[in-house]
Amino acid sequence: MQLKLEFGIAEEASNTASDDRRAVPQRKARLPAPPKPKVKGEKAETATMEAVTARLKAALEAVAANKGAPGPDRQGIEQVRKHEQEILKGLHRTLLDGTYQPGDIRRVWIPKAGGGERGLGIPNVIDRVVQEAVRQVLEPVYEPTFHPSSHGFRPGRSCHTAIEEAKGYLAEGRDWVVDMDLENFFNRVNHQRLMSKLAQRVKDKRLLKLIGKMLKAKIAMPDGVIVSNEEGVPQGGPLSPLLSNIVLDELDWELEARGHCFVRYADDANIYVKSERAGQRVMANVSDYIEKRLRLKVNANKSAVAQPQDRHFLGFSLRYEVTEDKVEVELSKRTKERIDSKIRELTPRNRGRSMKQAIDEINAYTRGWTGFFGICTNQVEKTLQTLDAHIRRRLRAMELKQYKRKRTIARKLIWHGIKAKTAWRTVYEGRKSLWALSHTWAVDRALRNSLWDARGLKRLTQQYWSHPARMVAQGPKQYELAFG
């Protein structure tokens, strides 16, 4: 059923400002939201408690593969494995007769990259198995009708697919973004609205009652206090990502009905428009819808109308390059600050460990980092070269610290091929700190780049150019046949 529009249609209808920098292809008319499957449909009928119990074994394997932390009962995967048959049999029985009762959820606070803390809710392993089984049953029912511009926690979609769609909107001339962040979203989801949405497709009341119990599970705080849970879907369980998408799917189709071009990943939504004025109007209208209809709250401090290159979206910033007529994918300012902080954390001068161990830890981190951020366009290479140089300087400072005494440093420089006079003068001339000494000519020459390559340090630039995105961009290598 089409939602009634309470506000103005998309900014395109009244926005007369145009961008003459590039030709904007004619967009195809968007289709209305597809009709929801009937309750008596085949997929709706599969959402039963019997289907959940049939997936308990597969769910246990999935939870075990995830290697999560124990819940409040402190029982890990190993303990559950020892009594696997007995536990699965008990779950099968209690789920079908309705006596299953989920345990408390352990609250854990982790630091957020942008400051503050994020609360995670870690259920017991047994409860995670049940949640995973429910997820496996519900996902085939809801996944086909989720909006294509929703990329978070969905099979076959990722941050990379979200960035790829956003690039397309910039290429069309939408140079302004309405960057919306939902404040404390996972802890603010209204249980009544969520259960009402689920009841539209799930007709097995036993399954609905089970989900209601999971939502109401009490929270065990770090200080031991047990608190009730009246709203929210705590992050940390296998079911919460799917439930969050079910809640926000209503927002996706509302944005579609208004004609907006948007990309959403979990509780981060970017709406792309052609002018700042249109962006301000969209921000006001959509915020009003979110707070009045969905009963959620927009984080005014983190939301803004700006140009994409000035915003942080999934670790990236996007910029349309006029001279090259293409969209550049770059590291956001926050991402640069994060990796700089992580490099300092991995290369402390006052922690006793071998240089090999330090290099191995750096390689492990940069391998995963470039695997994610390797989709950046070639403009990022200069930043990566700077980071490579910073890592090497940090390692040089660590090595000088391990030499301990100035005379040992001078002798090591001589051993690496520096002239004796230069080595002694570099070390003893003036009062240099180890950090200042690490970037002198003699130290740079003695502990040169090739030495770190030989020790196994992997350069960010090398890993970037070996990323699959570079291989695709370069295309298959062509071979020429020479004939006599």
Side-chain angles (χ1 to χ4, degrees):
M1 186 172 103
Q2 196 82 17
L3 289 172
K4 183 178 180 181
L5 300 184
E6 301 176 2
F7 309 103
I9 296 298
E11 44 85 25
E12 286 84 354
S14 58
N15 178 28
T16 58
S18 60
D19 190 342
D20 296 330
R21 293 178 307 176
R22 54 194 181 275
V24 180
Q26 184 67 33
R27 296 183 66 246
K28 294 181 180 179
R30 285 177 174 261
L31 297 175
K36 305 297 183 184
K38 296 180 179 180
V39 174
K40 295 183 179 180
E42 180 181 354
K43 289 184 178 179
E45 290 182 351
T46 62
T48 64
M49 190 64 79
E50 285 75 16
V52 171
T53 57
R55 286 167 173 78
L56 288 175
K57 174 65 176 176
L60 175 59
E61 297 299 330
V63 171
N66 197 41
K67 300 179 181 178
D73 65 0
R74 300 296 176 182
Q75 298 297 308
I77 296 294
E78 296 78 12
Q79 288 85 349
V80 174
R81 283 290 200 188
K82 291 179 182 178
H83 308 282
E84 178 178 332
Q85 296 301 323
E86 180 183 349
I87 289 174
L88 292 181
K89 186 176 180 181
L91 286 176
H92 189 280
R93 183 186 69 256
T94 55
L95 286 171
L96 290 179
D97 63 21
T99 59
Y100 168 80
Q101 187 65 38
D104 297 338
I105 296 175
R106 180 163 66 95
R107 172 70 77 201
V108 176
W109 298 100
I110 61 173
K112 296 174 66 174
E117 292 182 318
R118 173 182 286 109
L120 296 184
I122 304 179
N124 294 325
V125 173
I126 294 176
D127 296 329
R128 294 208 296 271
V129 171
V130 177
Q131 285 195 28
E132 173 63 19
V134 174
R135 185 199 66 80
Q136 292 182 14
V137 169
L138 292 184
E139 189 172 79
V141 176
Y142 286 93
E143 175 61 31
T145 58
F146 280 154
H147 195 280
S149 292
S150 168
H151 296 264
F153 313 120
R154 296 183 61 188
R157 294 171 182 265
S158 65
C159 296
H160 292 177
T161 60
I163 294 298
E164 193 64 30
E165 182 177 359
K167 285 171 59 180
Y169 293 139
L170 262 70
E172 292 178 356
R174 304 175 191 279
D175 296 329
W176 289 85
V177 61
V178 182
D179 185 358
M180 308 194 73
D181 180 85
L182 301 183
E183 183 176 330
N184 205 15
F185 165 70
F186 285 91
N187 294 328
R188 286 183 179 270
V189 172
N190 185 279
H191 288 174
Q192 184 177 355
R193 291 197 85 258
L194 174 57
M195 293 305 299
S196 176
K197 293 280 291 182
L198 291 170
Q200 292 175 8
R201 301 200 196 178
V202 179
K203 293 306 174 181
D204 190 328
K205 293 185 178 180
R206 297 170 300 171
L207 182 52
L208 290 173
K209 186 177 180 180
L210 170 63
I211 297 173
K213 288 181 180 179
M214 292 176 176
L215 292 174
K216 297 292 184 182
K218 294 183 178 181
I219 307 294
M221 304 301 288
D223 58 4
V225 176
I226 306 298
V227 298
S228 59
N229 183 25
E230 299 302 328
E231 63 178 2
V233 285
Q235 290 177 273
L239 187 57
S240 60
L242 177 61
L243 295 181
S244 68
N245 273 333
I246 292 173
V247 171
L248 293 177
D249 188 55
E250 183 176 349
L251 171 64
D252 295 339
W253 289 111
E254 176 66 13
L255 294 176
E256 170 80 11
R258 299 184 185 195
H260 293 313
C261 297
F262 71 96
V263 179
R264 183 178 65 80
Y265 190 97
D267 55 344
D268 290 327
N270 278 7
I271 306 171
Y272 294 89
V273 297
K274 292 184 178 180
S275 70
E276 183 179 11
R277 183 178 178 183
Q280 297 292 352
R281 183 168 61 253
V282 170
M283 172 70 82
N285 289 346
V286 175
S287 296
D288 193 59
Y289 176 84
I290 290 173
E291 295 184 357
K292 291 183 178 178
R293 180 64 180 268
L294 302 184
R295 302 181 190 176
L296 298 171
K297 185 174 178 59
V298 176
N299 190 329
N301 294 328
K302 293 185 178 181
S303 301
V305 177
Q307 293 192 305
Q309 63 264 30
D310 298 325
R311 301 301 295 172
H312 169 98
F313 183 50
L314 306 176
F316 303 91
S317 65
L318 304 179
R319 176 175 56 85
Y320 179 76
E321 183 57 53
V322 180
T323 57
E324 299 183 14
D325 191 28
K326 69 176 184 178
V327 179
E328 299 286 355
V329 181
E330 302 172 335
L331 300 175
S332 70
K333 179 181 177 181
R334 195 187 309 173
T335 297
K336 294 176 183 177
E337 292 172 351
R338 286 179 187 173
I339 188 171
D340 188 64
S341 175
K342 187 64 178 181
I343 289 171
R344 290 197 300 270
E345 179 185 329
L346 292 173
T347 54
R349 292 190 290 277
N350 56 358
R351 186 172 127 196
R353 57 176 177 165
S354 68
M355 187 59 66
K356 182 181 184 307
Q357 182 182 0
I359 290 174
D360 288 344
E361 290 181 5
I362 292 171
N363 287 342
Y365 176 76
T366 57
R367 188 182 305 116
W369 189 88
T370 51
F372 182 80
F373 290 104
I375 65 169
C376 288
T377 46
N378 297 354
Q379 297 281 348
V380 78
E381 186 174 16
K382 186 175 181 180
T383 300
L384 298 182
Q385 290 172 347
T386 302
L387 289 171
D388 278 331
H390 185 56
I391 291 172
R392 289 190 294 266
R393 184 177 179 184
R394 297 282 304 183
L395 291 175
R396 290 186 184 107
M398 284 182 62
E399 183 141 332
L400 295 178
K401 177 71 173 180
Q402 292 177 356
Y403 294 159
K404 295 183 178 179
R405 298 181 178 182
K406 284 190 174 183
R407 64 171 177 266
T408 305
I409 294 175
R411 288 169 179 167
K412 288 290 186 179
L413 293 179
I414 296 170
W415 185 82
H416 280 292
I418 304 301
K419 291 182 179 180
K421 184 178 179 180
T422 303
W424 290 107
R425 185 176 65 246
T426 299
V427 174
Y428 282 97
E429 188 176 62
R431 299 181 61 181
K432 297 186 183 74
S433 65
L434 290 177
W435 181 244
L437 194 60
S438 68
H439 197 39
T440 57
W441 179 89
V443 173
D444 283 343
R445 181 71 176 174
L447 304 178
R448 52 196 175 274
N449 296 357
S450 59
L451 180 141
W452 298 109
D453 293 337
R455 290 183 175 183
L457 180 66
K458 303 298 182 184
R459 301 189 188 193
L460 284 166
T461 49
Q462 292 174 338
Q463 296 180 68
Y464 171 77
W465 284 107
S466 62
H467 190 275
R470 306 285 82 66
M471 302 297 103
V472 172
Q474 294 172 9
K477 184 180 289 187
Q478 300 292 325
Y479 295 94
E480 293 183 358
L481 299 179
F483 297 96

